[in-house]
């Protein structure tokens, strides 16, 4: 992925006869190596925007291009392939599989992708070390702190070498110290591994980590800087 273009994108949801305009004519670009924060109050459209960029939903109007390819034209299986090969996700609720160890959680997408066992072990070992969890790789999620679980989630997001990592409120369930540690990991990966990040937040302290900030309010981009 060299560039993502969001062009005049709107997204409506329907509650009975009521139309919710979650996004209204949003346009911007994401370039390789960007570290973007989408900010704004709860309900401003942050999660909706991330879901559209990550091929989890389709816009009501407008287009989203990955390297000049309109992803709204992709079939369901093509969207799944796009997510598996190109996009990593970091969820605020971690979304780890409770019966698997930290290493097994990280490994799981590789199993789905058909990667051989020896190669899986090599990749997982590298990522466990990268996020500072070598001593905790055999621990299950309920044996880890919130920050450690989020580090597992980051490693899992990176396991297929994605060109883009999307993080929805990645520090929302963490204390301020742990949240800063997680953001430090993300920034280091961005700077050293050139991983492109786009993350949402309504926390002003978190915004300081971003290279670019997109301010959303009521589904509209108020400013970009």
């Amino acid at each position: 992925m060299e560039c993502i273009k969001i062009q005049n994108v709107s997204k409506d949801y329907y509650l009975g006869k009521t139309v919710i305009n979650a996004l209204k004519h949003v346009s911007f670009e994401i370039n390789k190596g960007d570290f973007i924060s989408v900010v704004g109050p709860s309900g401003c459209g942050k999660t909706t925007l991330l879901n559209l960029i990550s091929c989890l939903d389709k816009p009501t109007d407008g287009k989203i291009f990955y390297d000049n390819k309109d992803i709204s034209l992709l079939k369901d299986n093509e969207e799944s392939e796009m997510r598996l090969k190109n996009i990593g996700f970091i969820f605020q609720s971690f979304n780890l599989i409770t019966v698997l160890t930290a290493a097994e959680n990280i490994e799981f997408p590789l199993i789905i992708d058909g990667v051989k066992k020896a190669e899986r072990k090599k990749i997982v070992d590298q990522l466990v070390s990268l996020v500072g969890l070598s001593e905790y790789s055999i621990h299950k999620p309920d044996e880890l702190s919130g920050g450690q679980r989020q580090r597992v989630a980051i490693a899992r997001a990176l396991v297929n070498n994605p060109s883009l990592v999307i993080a929805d409120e990645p520090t929302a369930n963490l204390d301020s110290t742990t949240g800063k540690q997680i953001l430090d990991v993300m920034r280091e990966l961005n700077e050293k591994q050139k991983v492109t990040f786009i993350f949402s937040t309504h926390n002003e302290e978190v915004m300081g980590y971003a290279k670019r900030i997109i301010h959303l309010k009521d589904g509209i981009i108020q400013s970009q800087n």
Side-chain angles (χ1 to χ4, degrees):
M1 187 275 297
E2 295 297 329
C3 181
I4 299 172
K5 295 181 181 180
I6 294 89
Q7 294 186 348
N8 203 33
V9 164
S10 297
K11 180 62 181 180
D12 299 334
Y13 295 103
Y14 296 87
L15 295 175
K17 295 182 179 180
T18 303
V19 181
I20 307 298
N21 307 122
L23 288 176
K24 307 168 189 175
H25 310 295
V26 170
S27 296
F28 67 99
E29 294 185 5
I30 304 169
N31 297 307
K32 184 175 179 60
D34 267 344
F35 196 71
I36 299 174
S37 177
V38 180
V39 306
S42 297
C44 71
K46 300 188 299 293
T47 297
T48 297
L49 178 59
L50 296 189
N51 285 344
L52 293 174
I53 295 171
S54 59
C55 299
L56 292 172
D57 204 352
K58 293 183 182 294
T60 304
D61 196 16
K63 295 181 182 296
I64 300 175
F65 295 92
Y66 274 64
D67 294 335
N68 298 315
K69 183 176 183 178
D70 185 355
I71 64 172
S72 66
L73 302 178
L74 297 178
K75 298 177 181 178
D76 288 348
N77 64 319
E78 292 173 325
E79 287 180 335
S80 297
E81 185 73 6
M82 170 73 79
R83 290 192 295 269
L84 181 63
K85 299 290 188 181
N86 297 286
I87 304 171
F89 302 89
I90 304 170
F91 301 95
Q92 60 174 295
S93 56
F94 315 131
N95 285 9
L96 301 179
I97 301 171
T98 58
V99 297
L100 300 182
T101 66
E104 289 167 344
N105 267 282
I106 297 166
E107 180 186 28
F108 191 66
L110 297 175
I111 295 173
I112 295 175
D113 201 25
V115 177
K116 293 183 178 180
K117 187 174 181 178
E119 181 65 14
R120 294 201 309 264
K121 185 178 186 308
K122 178 181 177 182
I123 294 170
V124 171
D125 286 348
Q126 289 174 341
L127 284 171
V128 165
S129 176
L130 184 66
V131 298
L133 286 176
S134 297
E135 297 179 15
Y136 301 95
S137 63
I138 63 171
H139 288 64
K140 292 182 179 179
D142 62 0
E143 299 171 325
L144 300 172
S145 69
Q148 290 168 337
R149 279 177 277 171
Q150 193 63 299
R151 287 172 185 262
V152 176
I154 291 173
R156 182 184 58 188
L158 296 170
V159 75
N160 279 328
N161 194 29
S163 53
L164 172 68
V165 173
I166 293 175
D168 189 10
E169 299 277 9
T171 63
N173 293 322
L174 305 175
D175 62 77
S176 59
T177 300
T178 304
K180 182 181 183 301
Q181 292 172 350
I182 293 303
L183 288 164
D184 286 340
V185 171
M186 290 169 58
R187 183 164 61 183
E188 183 176 2
L189 292 169
N190 172 257
E191 293 175 350
K192 294 185 177 180
Q193 308 289 330
K194 305 305 179 185
V195 179
T196 303
F197 281 90
I198 177 168
F199 64 95
S200 69
T201 185
H202 61 269
N203 187 328
E204 291 188 4
E205 292 182 9
V206 175
M207 298 177 201
Y209 281 78
K211 295 177 182 176
R212 291 173 55 201
I213 300 177
I214 296 171
H215 293 265
L216 273 180
K217 184 177 180 181
D218 298 327
I220 299 170
I221 290 182
Q222 299 291 304
S223 64
Q224 301 184 51
N225 57 330

